[in-house]
Amino acid sequence: MASLEAAARIAQSFPEVTEGSRLGSRTWLVSGKAFAWERGFSKADLKRFGDVQPPDGPILAVRVDDVVEKEAILASGVVGIFTIPHFDGYPAVLIQLRKIKAPQLREALTDGWLACAPRKLAESYLERRR
């Protein structure tokens, strides 16, 4: 089980990350591009859930490289990672922080950061990790 504070610590551990606010929600950016943000459900989102209980607790949206990667992530069956119709065709997944394990959260945030970081910065980061 993870928390928003744990997600913030992980997100801020990457090079050149800034934290900001977008639509009143915490957002983490690299080079001005949001790679993760707190994402509550809108009234329209809740309506689409119908009689199904929506995931509870803090929800984090995290960018992925493209929709092909998104589909692969969703197909992997990691508990806590999901999507909603609002995100159809958009390269991001949603994470129910109460359900995801810390290693999977770190992996998702790393992938999100890599998807948004400038190429040279991402390559430098990966080289240092080796």
PDB file of all heavy atoms in Angstrom, residues 75-99:
ATOM      1  N   ALA A  75      -2.733  -4.730 -19.333  1.00  0.00           N
ATOM      2  CA  ALA A  75      -2.841  -6.178 -19.529  1.00  0.00           C
ATOM      3  C   ALA A  75      -1.991  -6.962 -18.534  1.00  0.00           C
ATOM      4  O   ALA A  75      -2.277  -8.137 -18.273  1.00  0.00           O
ATOM      5  CB  ALA A  75      -2.447  -6.541 -20.961  1.00  0.00           C
ATOM      6  N   SER A  76      -0.964  -6.317 -17.964  1.00  0.00           N
ATOM      7  CA  SER A  76      -0.085  -7.020 -17.023  1.00  0.00           C
ATOM      8  C   SER A  76      -0.791  -7.369 -15.720  1.00  0.00           C
ATOM      9  O   SER A  76      -0.337  -8.239 -14.976  1.00  0.00           O
ATOM     10  CB  SER A  76       1.166  -6.184 -16.726  1.00  0.00           C
ATOM     11  OG  SER A  76       0.834  -5.078 -15.886  1.00  0.00           O
ATOM     12  N   GLY A  77      -1.901  -6.698 -15.432  1.00  0.00           N
ATOM     13  CA  GLY A  77      -2.687  -7.044 -14.262  1.00  0.00           C
ATOM     14  C   GLY A  77      -2.142  -6.572 -12.927  1.00  0.00           C
ATOM     15  O   GLY A  77      -2.503  -7.122 -11.892  1.00  0.00           O
ATOM     16  N   VAL A  78      -1.291  -5.554 -12.930  1.00  0.00           N
ATOM     17  CA  VAL A  78      -0.771  -5.027 -11.668  1.00  0.00           C
ATOM     18  C   VAL A  78      -1.938  -4.469 -10.860  1.00  0.00           C
ATOM     19  O   VAL A  78      -2.702  -3.628 -11.348  1.00  0.00           O
ATOM     20  CB  VAL A  78       0.302  -3.931 -11.908  1.00  0.00           C
ATOM     21  CG1 VAL A  78       0.712  -3.274 -10.594  1.00  0.00           C
ATOM     22  CG2 VAL A  78       1.508  -4.508 -12.619  1.00  0.00           C
ATOM     23  N   VAL A  79      -2.080  -4.957  -9.648  1.00  0.00           N
ATOM     24  CA  VAL A  79      -3.164  -4.516  -8.774  1.00  0.00           C
ATOM     25  C   VAL A  79      -3.006  -3.026  -8.478  1.00  0.00           C
ATOM     26  O   VAL A  79      -1.927  -2.567  -8.102  1.00  0.00           O
ATOM     27  CB  VAL A  79      -3.174  -5.325  -7.460  1.00  0.00           C
ATOM     28  CG1 VAL A  79      -4.195  -4.772  -6.482  1.00  0.00           C
ATOM     29  CG2 VAL A  79      -3.437  -6.790  -7.752  1.00  0.00           C
ATOM     30  N   GLY A  80      -4.087  -2.285  -8.686  1.00  0.00           N
ATOM     31  CA  GLY A  80      -4.084  -0.849  -8.407  1.00  0.00           C
ATOM     32  C   GLY A  80      -3.924   0.023  -9.635  1.00  0.00           C
ATOM     33  O   GLY A  80      -4.148   1.221  -9.564  1.00  0.00           O
ATOM     34  N   ILE A  81      -3.553  -0.552 -10.771  1.00  0.00           N
ATOM     35  CA  ILE A  81      -3.417   0.229 -12.004  1.00  0.00           C
ATOM     36  C   ILE A  81      -4.653  -0.007 -12.870  1.00  0.00           C
ATOM     37  O   ILE A  81      -5.053  -1.145 -13.104  1.00  0.00           O
ATOM     38  CB  ILE A  81      -2.132  -0.133 -12.770  1.00  0.00           C
ATOM     39  CG1 ILE A  81      -0.908   0.254 -11.938  1.00  0.00           C
ATOM     40  CG2 ILE A  81      -2.094   0.582 -14.128  1.00  0.00           C
ATOM     41  CD1 ILE A  81       0.435  -0.030 -12.591  1.00  0.00           C
ATOM     42  N   PHE A  82      -5.256   1.093 -13.335  1.00  0.00           N
ATOM     43  CA  PHE A  82      -6.485   0.991 -14.113  1.00  0.00           C
ATOM     44  C   PHE A  82      -6.610   2.225 -15.011  1.00  0.00           C
ATOM     45  O   PHE A  82      -5.735   3.084 -15.051  1.00  0.00           O
ATOM     46  CB  PHE A  82      -7.699   0.864 -13.180  1.00  0.00           C
ATOM     47  CG  PHE A  82      -7.979   2.081 -12.347  1.00  0.00           C
ATOM     48  CD1 PHE A  82      -8.987   2.972 -12.694  1.00  0.00           C
ATOM     49  CD2 PHE A  82      -7.228   2.350 -11.202  1.00  0.00           C
ATOM     50  CE1 PHE A  82      -9.253   4.105 -11.925  1.00  0.00           C
ATOM     51  CE2 PHE A  82      -7.489   3.481 -10.417  1.00  0.00           C
ATOM     52  CZ  PHE A  82      -8.505   4.354 -10.783  1.00  0.00           C
ATOM     53  N   THR A  83      -7.698   2.285 -15.739  1.00  0.00           N
ATOM     54  CA  THR A  83      -7.998   3.455 -16.557  1.00  0.00           C
ATOM     55  C   THR A  83      -9.503   3.713 -16.493  1.00  0.00           C
ATOM     56  O   THR A  83     -10.250   2.903 -15.937  1.00  0.00           O
ATOM     57  CB  THR A  83      -7.516   3.284 -18.014  1.00  0.00           C
ATOM     58  OG1 THR A  83      -7.601   4.547 -18.692  1.00  0.00           O
ATOM     59  CG2 THR A  83      -8.310   2.238 -18.760  1.00  0.00           C
ATOM     60  N   ILE A  84      -9.912   4.829 -17.047  1.00  0.00           N
ATOM     61  CA  ILE A  84     -11.324   5.192 -17.141  1.00  0.00           C
ATOM     62  C   ILE A  84     -11.563   5.735 -18.550  1.00  0.00           C
ATOM     63  O   ILE A  84     -10.608   6.102 -19.247  1.00  0.00           O
ATOM     64  CB  ILE A  84     -11.729   6.239 -16.068  1.00  0.00           C
ATOM     65  CG1 ILE A  84     -10.882   7.515 -16.182  1.00  0.00           C
ATOM     66  CG2 ILE A  84     -11.647   5.631 -14.677  1.00  0.00           C
ATOM     67  CD1 ILE A  84     -11.290   8.638 -15.234  1.00  0.00           C
ATOM     68  N   PRO A  85     -12.812   5.797 -18.982  1.00  0.00           N
ATOM     69  CA  PRO A  85     -13.092   6.276 -20.341  1.00  0.00           C
ATOM     70  C   PRO A  85     -12.495   7.649 -20.662  1.00  0.00           C
ATOM     71  O   PRO A  85     -12.085   7.886 -21.801  1.00  0.00           O
ATOM     72  CB  PRO A  85     -14.617   6.301 -20.399  1.00  0.00           C
ATOM     73  CG  PRO A  85     -15.029   5.206 -19.467  1.00  0.00           C
ATOM     74  CD  PRO A  85     -14.032   5.279 -18.332  1.00  0.00           C
ATOM     75  N   HIS A  86     -12.415   8.545 -19.678  1.00  0.00           N
ATOM     76  CA  HIS A  86     -11.841   9.868 -19.920  1.00  0.00           C
ATOM     77  C   HIS A  86     -10.414   9.770 -20.459  1.00  0.00           C
ATOM     78  O   HIS A  86      -9.962  10.651 -21.190  1.00  0.00           O
ATOM     79  CB  HIS A  86     -11.867  10.683 -18.623  1.00  0.00           C
ATOM     80  CG  HIS A  86     -11.298  12.061 -18.763  1.00  0.00           C
ATOM     81  ND1 HIS A  86     -12.027  13.113 -19.280  1.00  0.00           N
ATOM     82  CD2 HIS A  86     -10.063  12.558 -18.485  1.00  0.00           C
ATOM     83  CE1 HIS A  86     -11.271  14.198 -19.300  1.00  0.00           C
ATOM     84  NE2 HIS A  86     -10.071  13.891 -18.818  1.00  0.00           N
ATOM     85  N   PHE A  87      -9.702   8.706 -20.122  1.00  0.00           N
ATOM     86  CA  PHE A  87      -8.306   8.529 -20.529  1.00  0.00           C
ATOM     87  C   PHE A  87      -8.159   7.676 -21.787  1.00  0.00           C
ATOM     88  O   PHE A  87      -7.043   7.370 -22.197  1.00  0.00           O
ATOM     89  CB  PHE A  87      -7.494   7.924 -19.378  1.00  0.00           C
ATOM     90  CG  PHE A  87      -7.079   8.932 -18.337  1.00  0.00           C
ATOM     91  CD1 PHE A  87      -8.017   9.483 -17.487  1.00  0.00           C
ATOM     92  CD2 PHE A  87      -5.770   9.336 -18.223  1.00  0.00           C
ATOM     93  CE1 PHE A  87      -7.664  10.422 -16.530  1.00  0.00           C
ATOM     94  CE2 PHE A  87      -5.396  10.271 -17.268  1.00  0.00           C
ATOM     95  CZ  PHE A  87      -6.331  10.813 -16.418  1.00  0.00           C
ATOM     96  N   ASP A  88      -9.258   7.293 -22.416  1.00  0.00           N
ATOM     97  CA  ASP A  88      -9.172   6.509 -23.652  1.00  0.00           C
ATOM     98  C   ASP A  88      -8.368   7.277 -24.699  1.00  0.00           C
ATOM     99  O   ASP A  88      -8.618   8.460 -24.943  1.00  0.00           O
ATOM    100  CB  ASP A  88     -10.573   6.203 -24.209  1.00  0.00           C
ATOM    101  CG  ASP A  88     -11.302   5.153 -23.402  1.00  0.00           C
ATOM    102  OD1 ASP A  88     -10.693   4.540 -22.509  1.00  0.00           O
ATOM    103  OD2 ASP A  88     -12.512   4.952 -23.658  1.00  0.00           O
ATOM    104  N   GLY A  89      -7.402   6.608 -25.306  1.00  0.00           N
ATOM    105  CA  GLY A  89      -6.577   7.230 -26.336  1.00  0.00           C
ATOM    106  C   GLY A  89      -5.511   8.168 -25.803  1.00  0.00           C
ATOM    107  O   GLY A  89      -4.787   8.784 -26.579  1.00  0.00           O
ATOM    108  N   TYR A  90      -5.392   8.291 -24.489  1.00  0.00           N
ATOM    109  CA  TYR A  90      -4.398   9.189 -23.874  1.00  0.00           C
ATOM    110  C   TYR A  90      -3.347   8.335 -23.172  1.00  0.00           C
ATOM    111  O   TYR A  90      -3.690   7.389 -22.456  1.00  0.00           O
ATOM    112  CB  TYR A  90      -5.083  10.126 -22.875  1.00  0.00           C
ATOM    113  CG  TYR A  90      -4.157  11.148 -22.283  1.00  0.00           C
ATOM    114  CD1 TYR A  90      -3.684  12.213 -23.042  1.00  0.00           C
ATOM    115  CD2 TYR A  90      -3.737  11.043 -20.964  1.00  0.00           C
ATOM    116  CE1 TYR A  90      -2.818  13.150 -22.501  1.00  0.00           C
ATOM    117  CE2 TYR A  90      -2.875  11.976 -20.413  1.00  0.00           C
ATOM    118  CZ  TYR A  90      -2.424  13.027 -21.182  1.00  0.00           C
ATOM    119  OH  TYR A  90      -1.560  13.946 -20.645  1.00  0.00           O
ATOM    120  N   PRO A  91      -2.062   8.659 -23.358  1.00  0.00           N
ATOM    121  CA  PRO A  91      -0.993   7.826 -22.792  1.00  0.00           C
ATOM    122  C   PRO A  91      -0.760   8.076 -21.296  1.00  0.00           C
ATOM    123  O   PRO A  91       0.229   8.690 -20.891  1.00  0.00           O
ATOM    124  CB  PRO A  91       0.228   8.217 -23.630  1.00  0.00           C
ATOM    125  CG  PRO A  91      -0.022   9.639 -24.009  1.00  0.00           C
ATOM    126  CD  PRO A  91      -1.520   9.737 -24.192  1.00  0.00           C
ATOM    127  N   ALA A  92      -1.679   7.583 -20.486  1.00  0.00           N
ATOM    128  CA  ALA A  92      -1.545   7.667 -19.028  1.00  0.00           C
ATOM    129  C   ALA A  92      -2.403   6.577 -18.399  1.00  0.00           C
ATOM    130  O   ALA A  92      -3.394   6.146 -18.983  1.00  0.00           O
ATOM    131  CB  ALA A  92      -1.976   9.038 -18.512  1.00  0.00           C
ATOM    132  N   VAL A  93      -1.983   6.154 -17.216  1.00  0.00           N
ATOM    133  CA  VAL A  93      -2.762   5.206 -16.430  1.00  0.00           C
ATOM    134  C   VAL A  93      -3.109   5.854 -15.098  1.00  0.00           C
ATOM    135  O   VAL A  93      -2.504   6.854 -14.704  1.00  0.00           O
ATOM    136  CB  VAL A  93      -1.997   3.884 -16.195  1.00  0.00           C
ATOM    137  CG1 VAL A  93      -1.768   3.141 -17.501  1.00  0.00           C
ATOM    138  CG2 VAL A  93      -0.691   4.122 -15.457  1.00  0.00           C
ATOM    139  N   LEU A  94      -4.064   5.272 -14.422  1.00  0.00           N
ATOM    140  CA  LEU A  94      -4.441   5.729 -13.090  1.00  0.00           C
ATOM    141  C   LEU A  94      -3.969   4.688 -12.078  1.00  0.00           C
ATOM    142  O   LEU A  94      -3.954   3.487 -12.378  1.00  0.00           O
ATOM    143  CB  LEU A  94      -5.946   5.923 -12.992  1.00  0.00           C
ATOM    144  CG  LEU A  94      -6.505   7.008 -13.901  1.00  0.00           C
ATOM    145  CD1 LEU A  94      -8.018   6.993 -13.893  1.00  0.00           C
ATOM    146  CD2 LEU A  94      -5.986   8.369 -13.490  1.00  0.00           C
ATOM    147  N   ILE A  95      -3.604   5.173 -10.905  1.00  0.00           N
ATOM    148  CA  ILE A  95      -3.102   4.284  -9.864  1.00  0.00           C
ATOM    149  C   ILE A  95      -3.868   4.544  -8.572  1.00  0.00           C
ATOM    150  O   ILE A  95      -3.882   5.675  -8.076  1.00  0.00           O
ATOM    151  CB  ILE A  95      -1.593   4.501  -9.632  1.00  0.00           C
ATOM    152  CG1 ILE A  95      -0.822   4.191 -10.912  1.00  0.00           C
ATOM    153  CG2 ILE A  95      -1.105   3.653  -8.460  1.00  0.00           C
ATOM    154  CD1 ILE A  95       0.655   4.502 -10.832  1.00  0.00           C
ATOM    155  N   GLN A  96      -4.490   3.499  -8.055  1.00  0.00           N
ATOM    156  CA  GLN A  96      -5.137   3.577  -6.752  1.00  0.00           C
ATOM    157  C   GLN A  96      -4.049   3.303  -5.718  1.00  0.00           C
ATOM    158  O   GLN A  96      -3.592   2.168  -5.552  1.00  0.00           O
ATOM    159  CB  GLN A  96      -6.274   2.557  -6.659  1.00  0.00           C
ATOM    160  CG  GLN A  96      -7.049   2.662  -5.384  1.00  0.00           C
ATOM    161  CD  GLN A  96      -8.170   1.639  -5.302  1.00  0.00           C
ATOM    162  OE1 GLN A  96      -8.195   0.662  -6.054  1.00  0.00           O
ATOM    163  NE2 GLN A  96      -9.082   1.851  -4.386  1.00  0.00           N
ATOM    164  N   LEU A  97      -3.615   4.360  -5.048  1.00  0.00           N
ATOM    165  CA  LEU A  97      -2.448   4.254  -4.174  1.00  0.00           C
ATOM    166  C   LEU A  97      -2.643   3.261  -3.030  1.00  0.00           C
ATOM    167  O   LEU A  97      -1.674   2.630  -2.600  1.00  0.00           O
ATOM    168  CB  LEU A  97      -2.062   5.632  -3.652  1.00  0.00           C
ATOM    169  CG  LEU A  97      -1.528   6.569  -4.734  1.00  0.00           C
ATOM    170  CD1 LEU A  97      -1.297   7.960  -4.180  1.00  0.00           C
ATOM    171  CD2 LEU A  97      -0.252   6.020  -5.359  1.00  0.00           C
ATOM    172  N   ARG A  98      -3.853   3.079  -2.570  1.00  0.00           N
ATOM    173  CA  ARG A  98      -4.106   2.132  -1.478  1.00  0.00           C
ATOM    174  C   ARG A  98      -3.919   0.687  -1.903  1.00  0.00           C
ATOM    175  O   ARG A  98      -3.809  -0.200  -1.066  1.00  0.00           O
ATOM    176  CB  ARG A  98      -5.522   2.304  -0.936  1.00  0.00           C
ATOM    177  CG  ARG A  98      -5.703   3.586  -0.194  1.00  0.00           C
ATOM    178  CD  ARG A  98      -7.076   3.679   0.405  1.00  0.00           C
ATOM    179  NE  ARG A  98      -7.196   4.942   1.113  1.00  0.00           N
ATOM    180  CZ  ARG A  98      -8.321   5.461   1.518  1.00  0.00           C
ATOM    181  NH1 ARG A  98      -9.447   4.819   1.314  1.00  0.00           N
ATOM    182  NH2 ARG A  98      -8.346   6.604   2.151  1.00  0.00           N
ATOM    183  N   LYS A  99      -3.912   0.436  -3.201  1.00  0.00           N
ATOM    184  CA  LYS A  99      -3.833  -0.945  -3.696  1.00  0.00           C
ATOM    185  C   LYS A  99      -2.454  -1.332  -4.246  1.00  0.00           C
ATOM    186  O   LYS A  99      -2.104  -2.503  -4.241  1.00  0.00           O
ATOM    187  CB  LYS A  99      -4.865  -1.162  -4.804  1.00  0.00           C
ATOM    188  CG  LYS A  99      -6.291  -0.980  -4.379  1.00  0.00           C
ATOM    189  CD  LYS A  99      -6.781  -2.206  -3.677  1.00  0.00           C
ATOM    190  CE  LYS A  99      -8.254  -2.031  -3.329  1.00  0.00           C
ATOM    191  NZ  LYS A  99      -8.826  -3.212  -2.766  1.00  0.00           N
TER     192      LYS A  99
END
